[in-house]
Amino acid sequence: MAEATANGAAAVAAGGDRKAAFLQIYVQLKEDLLRDPAFDYTDESREWIEKMLDYNVPGGKLNRGISVIDSYKLLKQGNQLTDTEFFLGGVLGWCIEWLQAYFLVLDDIMDNSVTRRGQPCWFRVPKVGLIATNDGILMRNHIPRMLKKYFKGKPYYVDLLDLFNEVEFQTASGQLLDLITTHEGEQNLSKYNITVYNRIVQYKTAYYSFYLPVACALLLAGKNLGNFLEVKDILIQMGTYFQIQDDYLDCFGHPDVIGKIGTDIQDFKCSWLVVQALGLANESQLKILSDNYGKTDPACVEKVKRLYKDLNLEKLFAEYERTSYGKLISSIEAQPGKEVQHVLKSFLEKIYKRQK
């Protein structure tokens, strides 16, 4: 069955529809998990898992997952992947999408969020509630099941397990930094500065969103990750840029476009915007921030947004985006391998001046 899926997915991809080909692999992996011999599923539990996976895993842009396949192809100097190579790249891509889904389901509960990807958060779906917590744990446990089925016996199998375990640990630790900085004790804006912000972003977002897909592709291509530490640093910088875009869009993006209602102001998030505002505001403006940041009242949220506009944070972000792009391009072009340069540039082009 997996061989047939590999052939079918690669054929669809050859026709130009990478996303459709990638989604074919999702169907195969879901079927594998629903028939995992390690657990004796009831009809009801199998139906729940299928509904839960369909709701949470394939609904995003899938950029992280598809980028494993794209990066693998570029590392092969643009040569067409074989059916098996395409399929294995897709499996690792879906492992990242599973990791993302698991993080988001639990993150939405912790943040008490309302919508995700244009629909109610999973825990807000009728009859789900806090069962979503266990669903997140299940999705996390699906990843090693998939890795074992398709990569056990390969020379890089242990490296893959170590990679996913380490990146998950880094991401969960970044989430902890975010939560205790945001929620511990009384709300205190004096804790927020660019050093704190960068540390949270690096660990919470950059490792799994940017480094992990490329690291997977490097392992598939038979590379030693220890030889690509500068590449790792560039990807972490790119991840920081990506999160700053996210913070900007949370406030200034349209919910219909970004797929969620931004709540960073209400949640007292240590966002790039509030860190910049704290550095630019005068005494009266700092009082407006202190009085209104972290409040759920729409009038308070609007006062913060108006202050951001008064401080010209939209213009500041545009300047940050321009200079960051230039620095990243310079760092990328300093890398010795053209294939690696192409991988890094492909990532940067996907996110530069994005609107969602």
Side-chain angles (χ1 to χ4, degrees):
M1 180 65 180
E3 185 178 348
T5 303
N7 293 340
V12 173
D17 195 340
R18 291 174 310 147
K19 188 170 183 178
F22 188 56
L23 285 165
Q24 278 192 15
I25 298 171
Y26 165 76
V27 174
Q28 172 67 52
L29 295 174
K30 183 177 69 172
E31 288 302 309
D32 291 343
L33 292 165
L34 293 175
R35 286 162 178 74
D36 192 321
F39 180 66
D40 185 14
Y41 283 94
T42 63
D43 290 343
E44 186 179 18
S45 62
R46 185 177 283 113
E47 184 181 322
W48 180 280
I49 295 292
E50 181 165 23
K51 178 184 175 184
M52 180 270 289
L53 291 176
D54 286 345
Y55 195 93
N56 292 292
V57 178
K61 297 185 286 291
L62 307 181
N63 287 340
R64 293 171 181 82
I66 292 172
S67 66
V68 177
I69 298 170
D70 292 345
S71 299
Y72 188 18
K73 184 176 179 181
L74 289 168
L75 288 170
K76 289 190 67 184
Q77 300 180 339
N79 294 326
Q80 199 65 36
L81 299 177
T82 67
D83 292 351
T84 298
E85 288 171 338
F86 185 93
F87 180 77
L88 291 178
V91 173
L92 291 184
W94 279 113
C95 285
I96 297 173
E97 293 296 335
W98 246 265
L99 187 70
Q100 158 90 336
Y102 139 59
F103 286 142
L104 295 184
V105 163
L106 298 184
D107 192 53
D108 286 341
I109 296 170
M110 288 181 265
D111 288 348
N112 200 32
S113 298
V114 177
T115 61
R116 169 72 65 180
R117 295 169 172 171
Q119 59 185 4
C121 297
W122 177 239
F123 80 98
R124 293 191 178 276
V125 172
K127 298 184 181 178
V128 176
L130 291 181
I131 296 174
T133 307
N134 193 64
D135 291 334
I137 295 168
L138 278 171
M139 285 190 283
R140 182 262 176 265
N141 280 277
H142 286 161
I143 296 166
R145 305 304 294 170
M146 293 184 279
L147 292 176
K148 180 180 179 181
K149 181 174 177 66
Y150 290 105
F151 295 96
K152 189 174 182 181
K154 296 196 180 296
Y156 51 85
Y157 175 54
V158 172
D159 293 323
L160 276 176
L161 291 174
D162 283 347
L163 175 65
F164 273 89
N165 285 333
E166 183 169 289
V167 169
E168 182 193 0
F169 169 68
Q170 289 167 321
T171 307
S173 299
Q175 173 74 346
L176 173 67
L177 284 175
D178 190 16
L179 289 170
I180 62 176
T181 303
T182 302
H183 297 303
E184 187 182 66
E186 293 183 5
Q187 293 180 340
N188 181 6
L189 283 171
S190 68
K191 294 188 294 184
Y192 290 179
N193 57 61
I194 198 64
T195 302
V196 169
Y197 176 82
N198 284 336
R199 186 179 295 117
I200 291 171
V201 169
Q202 175 180 336
Y203 288 104
K204 185 180 175 182
T205 300
Y207 277 103
Y208 93 91
S209 294
F210 286 82
Y211 174 61
L212 183 56
V214 174
C216 284
L218 287 167
L219 288 174
L220 284 169
K223 307 294 185 184
N224 183 335
L225 295 182
N227 297 331
F228 293 90
L229 297 181
E230 285 187 19
V231 169
K232 183 178 186 177
D233 289 343
I234 292 169
L235 288 162
I236 298 308
Q237 292 168 32
M238 218 179 285
T240 301
Y241 164 48
F242 176 86
Q243 184 58 50
I244 290 172
Q245 287 177 313
D246 233 34
D247 292 353
Y248 175 82
L249 292 170
D250 186 273
C251 178
F252 294 109
H254 194 284
D256 290 345
V257 177
I258 64 174
K260 64 179 180 179
I261 298 168
T263 60
D264 283 0
I265 294 171
Q266 297 93 313
D267 295 338
F268 200 73
K269 283 289 183 183
C270 183
S271 90
W272 184 82
L273 292 171
V274 77
V275 167
Q276 298 304 315
L278 287 166
L280 294 170
N282 60 33
E283 194 171 331
S284 63
Q285 290 170 324
L286 285 172
K287 187 173 189 323
I288 292 171
L289 263 184
S290 179
D291 290 346
N292 294 282
Y293 200 73
K295 304 282 177 30
T296 56
D297 182 347
C300 294
V301 174
E302 190 52 42
K303 285 178 183 176
V304 174
K305 288 186 176 182
R306 191 158 58 247
L307 176 59
Y308 287 170
K309 287 181 178 291
D310 290 344
L311 292 171
N312 284 322
L313 293 192
E314 288 173 282
K315 182 179 179 182
L316 187 67
F317 170 76
E319 176 62 19
Y320 164 81
E321 186 164 51
R322 186 186 66 78
T323 56
S324 291
Y325 181 81
K327 288 176 184 176
L328 284 165
I329 286 291
S330 296
S331 297
I332 290 167
E333 291 180 346
Q335 294 306 301
K338 288 293 182 185
E339 296 84 9
V340 169
Q341 286 188 27
H342 291 154
V343 168
L344 294 171
K345 284 183 178 179
S346 75
F347 263 75
L348 186 54
E349 295 308 322
K350 285 175 188 172
I351 63 171
Y352 182 53
K353 292 199 170 181
R354 68 189 176 97
Q355 298 300 310
K356 62 180 180 178

